[in-house]
Amino acid sequence: QVQLVESGGGLVQPGGSLRLSCAAYGSIRTINTMAWFRQAPGKQREPVASITSGDSTTYADSVKGRFTISRYNAKTTVYLQMNSLKPEDTAVYYCRIFFRYDNYWGQGTQVTVSS
């Protein structure tokens, strides 16, 4: 069994910054990829950023140059540094980790960008 614990969401003004974290606990095997997704009200869940075990990263076009994904703690914790936040970044953010044969989702953390 694997648990993902997310933290770092909140309310921030446009142009501000937040850092999300997601730590994996439990029966941790080799984690292949760690990723962040988000879901805004009335919209489908979409990928935001991902990082592989070799530290290769990918980003959605909408967040390139503003968000940075990284992993730490023997690569069982993933962070999402979000800068220059915009109102359209408002969503519930979910982390997701991929093992060789299965994957797990976090519970989600709310990010609200508003003045």
Side-chain angles (χ1 to χ4, degrees):
Q1 188 72 9
V2 174
Q3 296 84 40
L4 301 181
V5 179
E6 300 174 15
S7 62
L11 173 65
V12 64
Q13 293 187 340
S17 298
L18 284 174
R19 189 177 81 155
L20 306 182
S21 65
C22 174
Y25 298 95
S27 301
I28 304 299
R29 297 140 279 165
T30 300
I31 300 174
N32 289 338
T33 297
M34 306 181 85
W36 288 95
F37 288 70
R38 68 185 181 187
Q39 187 167 18
K43 295 187 177 181
Q44 288 190 334
R45 193 172 298 187
E46 62 179 7
V48 175
S50 66
I51 183 167
T52 69
S53 57
D55 293 331
S56 294
T57 57
T58 59
Y59 296 93
D61 287 343
S62 59
V63 306
K64 281 181 181 176
R66 301 188 297 121
F67 290 10
T68 302
I69 190 170
S70 59
R71 56 196 292 181
Y72 192 60
N73 284 351
K75 299 188 176 183
T76 59
T77 299
V78 62
Y79 299 99
L80 186 67
Q81 178 66 44
M82 304 184 295
N83 299 327
S84 301
L85 282 161
K86 304 175 181 180
E88 51 263 44
D89 294 318
T90 295
V92 178
Y93 284 71
Y94 299 88
C95 69
R96 188 178 186 187
I97 64 171
F98 296 82
F99 298 103
R100 185 174 182 181
Y101 297 115
D102 54 1
N103 65 89
Y104 294 84
W105 288 92
Q107 80 281 4
T109 185
Q110 177 70 46
V111 171
T112 302
V113 185
S114 175
S115 55

